[in-house]
Amino acid sequence: MQTVDTIMEYIPSCQMDAQAQQIDVPEVNVGIPFDSIFQVGEEVEYVCRPSLFKQHTLTVQHDELLMRTPDGNPVWMFGLLLVLGVLLFVYYRLRKLNIGELVKALLDRRAEDRLVRANNLGTARLMPIGLLVTATLATVVLYVALPQSGLGEWLLISVGLALLYLVRNAVIRLLGGVFEDKEPVMAYITNGYLCHLMLTTVVIPLLFFLVYMPIGQQGVLYCIYALVALCFLMRLLRGVYLFLTFSKGHSFYLFYYLCTVEIVPVLVLAKWLLSQ
């Protein structure tokens, strides 16, 4: 068997001369060169200037990292408003109350008596209204006076207002026992609970607008203030009517003390809010 030493054995003899010849490749015309159209850019000399922020009086005082300021309202605020709305709805369902009948009861004493008898609204069943209204007003106080506070502060304000509410009712009952006018006093307390129930029913939806509406919070806040003042005025007028209905020699003295008990806490709370 014959071995192949070189690769030339595979090239035919007729092509050896053609392989050996050098092929001249013509130059390709690529068009007009860019150097004849555009001027060659000159290199700019690098200039180093001194910094304006060196050797000056505005030195850095605090170079530590700062926490990002939270935008918007906390999540627990939305959950709190939902819980208040659900508790109010549950109370209406348990006591089988109707808003239309409640409005009539606030305007007519006979309608109020029918509502109390039909739904068996005793003192124990009316007491949750006081807790609802104090929790709702605590939310308003927290949003206005302590906007950066948390859930713990809301709990403290709610508990404080609830205790003041219960103490106020206890003082009113004590005055009724001292002056032996328990019937008008109990009617006055019942009417106060119904007024506060209506106030809570209107204020809780307004709280969603107050907290989450992008503009107009000040107008909503003034509306809440007006509703609270209207509720307070209605209770005082109903108190005058009740004590004139159950008129006795010392009923007017009792009404005088009741006005003192009602007005002093409102004045203290208003002064505290205005000082914030």
Side-chain angles (χ1 to χ4, degrees), residues 138-159:
T139 307
V140 178
V141 172
L142 185 73
Y143 186 82
V144 174
L146 304 170
Q148 302 299 328
S149 302
L151 186 59
E153 287 79 1
W154 177 83
L155 288 174
L156 290 176
I157 296 174
S158 299
V159 172

Side-chain angles (χ1 to χ4, degrees), residues 217-265:
Q217 290 92 346
Q218 200 69 21
V220 177
L221 190 60
Y222 288 151
C223 184
I224 294 176
Y225 289 161
L227 290 173
V228 174
L230 179 62
C231 177
F232 181 75
L233 183 61
M234 288 182 60
R235 291 174 53 244
L236 287 183
L237 293 177
R238 178 54 66 90
V240 172
Y241 173 77
L242 289 174
F243 286 103
L244 288 178
T245 303
F246 300 94
S247 60
K248 290 183 181 180
H250 44 69
S251 295
F252 293 102
Y253 294 101
L254 175 59
F255 181 72
Y256 171 76
Y257 288 114
L258 290 179
C259 288
T260 304
V261 173
E262 293 282 357
I263 293 175
V264 169

